[in-house]
Amino acid sequence: TDIKDLTLFFSQVQQWAGVDSDVQSAFIKVNGDSGMQIFGMTHEGLSDTTLSGWFYNLKDEVKITYLEAAYALGTESYTYGAIAQVTFQDYDNQESSKIYGVSASFGLRSIGLTTTIAYNNTKGIAADNFFGGGPFVTSAEHNTIKEAGPDGNIILYTFEWNAAMLGEENLTFIADIDAHHKDLFYAKEYDLSMAYTYSKSMNFRAVYSDVNDKAQQFKNFRMFANYMF
């Protein structure tokens, strides 16, 4: 656009595949033949701040509005960050949910340690991640605000350590503690992960998760190799 630091985005999505899809190994239609229309914008003109907004339309199903403000600042010694988000999910059957979220992070460059605390709250029916896991700041490896149910809330603690002080700046270890705070949907999840960036186009990741809630209890270990074209 002619407006400095403003980017507009429009997309028509007809098919998709992913971990949240009913058929993960194949592309399937999105909302029948109607597909999904997406309009988005980002503005980076404010100092150390990015503003973004997205609107998703699934005809005769749901309309989704997502707004976010993200702040990030770094000095020679410290890093700071904060995110505020709000999502409106309005279904054509008159049901709806509003999801609010905030997060704050602080890092010490000298030892490569960053800590983050994040919180999401739902007003109305249970939130839905829809496509790609959802944008919510409290999303862990398995549990998200969706699993917190109607009028639910969730808190996430993250500790991230980069091994640059040992000469391995491409190696990062991450620990997550994720908890839902509602009696009927109470849950906890612990994640330990290791990430290694081999090149700009390839990285590796290993994750151990321990999930304990009223619906399921399990532990698993997964490894990923990601290549970006």
Side-chain angles (χ1 to χ4, degrees):
T1 70
D2 292 333
I3 303 177
K4 185 179 179 181
D5 302 314
L6 178 67
T7 302
L8 300 178
F9 176 87
F10 179 79
S11 176
Q12 171 73 25
V13 181
Q14 292 297 131
Q15 295 185 340
W16 84 298
V19 295
D20 294 321
S21 172
D22 294 333
V23 183
Q24 297 182 8
S25 59
F27 282 91
I28 62 173
K29 287 185 176 181
V30 175
N31 196 31
D33 294 330
S34 298
M36 174 174 60
Q37 298 76 45
I38 303 173
F39 174 75
M41 63 173 59
T42 61
H43 184 264
E44 299 176 300
L46 300 178
S47 177
D48 306 312
T49 302
T50 300
L51 304 177
S52 60
W54 298 86
F55 177 76
Y56 301 77
N57 178 58
L58 285 86
K59 184 180 179 182
D60 300 325
E61 293 290 337
V62 63
K63 295 176 176 60
I64 308 163
T65 303
Y66 177 76
L67 303 173
E68 178 185 285
Y71 173 81
L73 177 66
T75 68
E76 292 185 0
S77 302
Y78 308 105
T79 61
Y80 310 89
I83 294 174
Q85 60 182 193
V86 59
T87 306
F88 304 96
Q89 299 179 352
D90 296 310
Y91 294 84
D92 284 8
N93 64 2
Q94 305 303 314
E95 292 185 320
S96 66
S97 63
K98 299 179 179 66
I99 305 98
Y100 304 94
V102 292
S103 73
S105 64
F106 174 75
L108 293 172
R109 292 189 186 275
S110 59
I111 59 175
L113 181 65
T114 301
T115 61
T116 302
I117 183 170
Y119 175 79
N120 275 124
N121 175 265
T122 300
K123 300 294 185 183
I125 66 172
D128 198 309
N129 294 315
F130 287 100
F131 306 97
F136 306 115
V137 291
T138 54
S139 293
E141 290 295 321
H142 297 279
N143 285 331
T144 69
I145 186 62
K146 176 181 179 179
E147 282 72 36
D151 296 318
N153 55 82
I154 181 172
I155 192 166
L156 174 71
Y157 305 94
T158 300
F159 305 91
E160 180 176 328
W161 181 66
N162 181 268
M165 62 185 299
L166 302 180
E168 291 290 346
E169 61 182 13
N170 293 331
L171 180 63
T172 302
F173 296 88
I174 303 170
D176 290 329
I177 304 173
D178 185 83
H180 299 177
H181 296 285
K182 189 177 180 182
D183 291 341
L184 293 178
F185 296 90
Y186 183 77
K188 278 190 176 181
E189 176 178 341
Y190 302 93
D191 301 315
L192 296 174
S193 61
M194 179 181 68
Y196 181 75
T197 302
Y198 179 75
S199 66
K200 290 184 178 180
S201 58
M202 192 167 191
N203 62 75
F204 301 91
R205 190 164 171 260
V207 185
Y208 170 79
S209 297
D210 185 340
V211 178
N212 188 337
D213 61 38
K214 291 189 175 182
Q216 56 186 349
Q217 298 180 12
F218 66 90
K219 302 175 183 179
N220 70 6
F221 177 77
R222 298 173 298 161
M223 297 185 69
F224 304 89
N226 302 308
Y227 186 81
M228 277 68 71
F229 295 95

